[in-house]
Amino acid sequence: MRLFDSHSHLQDAKFGDETAAVIARSREAGVAGILLCGYDAASNEQALAIAGTNPGVFPAVGYHPHEAGTVTAGMLAELESLAARPEVVCVGEIGLDHYWGTTDPGEQRELLEAQLDIALRVGKPVSLHSRSAEDAMAEVLAPYAGRARTAGTVPGVMHCFGGTLEQAERYTELGFLVSIACVVTYPKNDEARRLAAGLPLDAILVETDSPYLPPQRLRGKRNEPAFVRDAVEAIAAVRGVPAAEIAEATTRNAERTFGVRALALAEVA
Ligand SMILES: [Zn+2]
């Protein structure tokens, strides 16, 4: 079975010097592709460095909404030159987060819109973080998706989507894919399972958001790309199909979205 973890932060300090071992374990678990997302200047550079030496690991660069208010025009110009590199497959993680309230919503929106413009100019999809900001997000993304459609590019992915099936459908109608994280295994998260059961299969990606959000059997521990399999198995269970079918479909969806070739079956377990 081939799996694709569509959102991970392997450069996070919680992985220490274990990155190589974590990637090796992911291959043993069948992970054929990992999108490695940056969130600030240092983590963007680290994403490029780790991906550069690990086949099947693809870098994304962006400024997380927690960075709003600190990102200068010069930093955005630097981001654009990184995003334009051929090995960079996505602009992310970017978005809106009104839950933590640590940065100003207006500045978050300005930062998001600047990065959506960068994505359109470099012709790459985006990986979007949206928390407690559904209405503002929809307002920003509708015109962006229209411009992406005109340009003939996939608009991107709603990462670790935490909304309802109906909210997800607003995004899939705009051409976005919806990424389901290991939170789909949490006993109380019926909404995530409803989402996993109801979305069309060609609109679903899976992810770990590692080191965050481990599956239920590892609550409180560090998450890693190998555990994306837990999300795949939970989705397969609610849809009543074999896990291999969900694995292959979500891997193909990721390859199409990010314009990449994941590792072949012979290269993973
Ligand atoms: Zn993330």
Side-chain angles (χ1 to χ4, degrees), residues 62-208:
Y63 285 103
H64 193 278
H66 292 159
E67 302 301 311
T70 70
V71 180
T72 62
M75 289 162 77
L76 285 171
E78 176 62 21
L79 179 72
E80 181 156 356
S81 74
L82 291 182
R85 289 207 207 169
E87 67 269 34
V88 172
V89 303
C90 179
V91 174
E93 149 172 22
I94 64 175
L96 298 175
D97 192 321
H98 296 175
Y99 179 80
W100 292 103
T102 48
T103 52
D104 177 69
E107 286 178 334
Q108 288 189 19
R109 182 164 173 162
E110 214 173 286
L111 177 61
L112 171 60
E113 289 182 322
Q115 294 182 99
L116 293 172
D117 286 345
I118 288 173
L120 287 167
R121 284 197 293 273
V122 301
K124 293 181 184 165
V126 295
S127 182
L128 289 157
H129 171 105
S130 177
R131 190 149 185 213
S132 306
E134 281 309 316
D135 291 339
M137 199 54 143
E139 252 177 64
V140 173
L141 293 187
Y144 160 75
R147 292 165 65 201
R149 205 176 310 117
T150 308
T153 58
V154 182
V157 186
M158 303 306 295
H159 125 75
C160 190
F161 190 76
T164 64
L165 176 61
E166 291 70 25
Q167 286 167 333
E169 283 166 348
R170 293 204 302 200
Y171 295 115
T172 57
E173 278 161 21
L174 293 173
F176 288 93
L177 285 88
V178 173
S179 182
I180 297 174
C182 300
V183 298
V184 70
T185 64
Y186 297 174
K188 287 184 184 155
N189 204 343
D190 290 327
E191 193 59 58
R193 283 183 288 279
R194 201 172 146 255
L195 189 68
L199 283 172
L201 192 50
D202 64 1
I204 300 177
L205 296 182
V206 288
E207 67 169 81
T208 57

Side-chain angles (χ1 to χ4, degrees), residues 15-81:
F15 289 112
D17 57 4
E18 295 171 63
T19 312
V22 168
I23 293 172
R25 281 201 291 278
S26 77
R27 299 241 169 102
E28 283 160 26
V31 177
I34 299 171
L35 185 74
L36 173 43
C37 290
Y39 40 89
D40 62 13
S43 63
N44 289 333
E45 293 288 352
Q46 289 164 335
L48 278 153
I50 294 170
T53 53
N54 289 285
V57 180
F58 306 100
V61 295
Y63 285 103
H64 193 278
H66 292 159
E67 302 301 311
T70 70
V71 180
T72 62
M75 289 162 77
L76 285 171
E78 176 62 21
L79 179 72
E80 181 156 356
S81 74

